[in-house]
Amino acid sequence: MNIDNVYIALLHHPVYNKRGDIVTTAVTNMDIHDISRAARSYGVKCFYIVTPIEKQHQFVKRIIRHWQKGYGVAYNPSRKKAFDIVDIKSSLEDVVEDISGKSGRSVHLVTTSATSRGCLTTYEDLKKVIMEDRENYLLVFGTGWGIAEEVIKGADFLLEPIRGSTDYNHLSVRSAVSISLDRLFGRR
Amino acid sequence: MNIDNVYIALLHHPVYNKRGDIVTTAVTNMDIHDISRAARSYGVKCFYIVTPIEKQHQFVKRIIRHWQKGYGVAYNPSRKKAFDIVDIKSSLEDVVEDISGKSGRSVHLVTTSATSRGCLTTYEDLKKVIMEDRENYLLVFGTGWGIAEEVIKGADFLLEPIRGSTDYNHLSVRSAVSISLDRLFGRR
């Protein structure tokens, strides 16, 4: 099964730093690897890395090239398949435009947060909506200390936080993406 | 809720490399961070890194010290809490001895694999067993190309592979641990 109406964006701007300032975080190599592998496993159509910094675009494209065309293809062909669905854009607006342009269908923004607040959508409800609807759903995950409020306010959905079995909730974004995809699309 | 009879081991030996040889993989910094944060979130009692290489013990201990006593404590206190449950041992036997010695109860070994084979335990069944039993359960995750067959054969359980919604199953071990913990102990 391919969930060809589901996309992921990993947001590096606008996000918070630990003091609550809006910043641009650096793209990390491990995020690209882990999230592309999870996205590919769960049938996500495309995984967008979002940063306005041009130098970071070059960095990401170099990594993608290594695993798609360079030494990486022979060393680990399965990594190529994961990197096939990775793209990089300067803003969330550019991502939405790319998706709607290619698919001809509108895009619903689904934001995520580690902290609880009003009007949350449960995983169960989002799953139903995605399965029944042929429009596009873009799951947005934040880096740093989380997605800026302006993005969350402008989104169609805010997904409930992932709760483990304790009050400690400091999962890495790599773990959060993996768990979210499994809750939505995992086969049990 | 604390699942104080559940432990995790991340195995660096004996595991396979891509050619199927038994090797010892290197410990990676990101594994320690991501898995300790997930383990802490889901109430795991202790996360053991397993490698026979003494130099790697020093490396891991230096990282733990940084986040527990060094600059890291002030920079990110929540990371300290995650590192509080990390330990390092030379072999799986040492881990089992440590757990049974401290708890006075026996340890059941639960191995994991990305490939399907006979006699698999489902997540649902393992969850029931763990919740009803007061003995200890050690979830073993492999690095490299997976846990050596001799370890799987000697274990009490082999957990079913995580299946996404495609035939691609190349999750990082960080993703696999996170998803497994959520399937077993996540609150929905």
Side-chain angles (χ1 to χ4, degrees), chain A residues 1 18 34 42 75 165 174, chain B residues 1 34 42 75 165 174:
Chain A
M1 180 176 65
K18 60 178 292 197
D34 281 15
Y42 287 90
Y75 180 74
S165 37
R174 297 167 290 281
Chain B
M1 180 177 65
D34 281 15
Y42 287 90
Y75 180 74
S165 37
R174 297 167 290 282

Side-chain angles (χ1 to χ4, degrees), chain A residues 19-38:
Chain A
R19 285 187 303 274
D21 311 319
I22 288 184
V23 295
T24 303
T25 56
V27 176
T28 69
N29 186 34
M30 196 62 84
D31 286 351
I32 314 176
H33 279 266
D34 281 15
I35 297 175
S36 68
R37 292 161 76 182

Side-chain angles (χ1 to χ4, degrees), chain A residues 4-24:
Chain A
D4 65 359
N5 58 335
V6 177
Y7 300 78
I8 288 178
L10 183 66
L11 201 65
H12 296 84
H13 178 91
V15 294
Y16 295 116
N17 68 5
K18 60 178 292 197
R19 285 187 303 274
D21 311 319
I22 288 184
V23 295
T24 303

Side-chain angles (χ1 to χ4, degrees), chain B residues 113-125:
Chain B
S113 170
T115 52
S116 215
R117 62 191 97 181
C119 286
L120 295 168
T121 303
T122 65
Y123 280 91
E124 208 50 55
D125 286 345

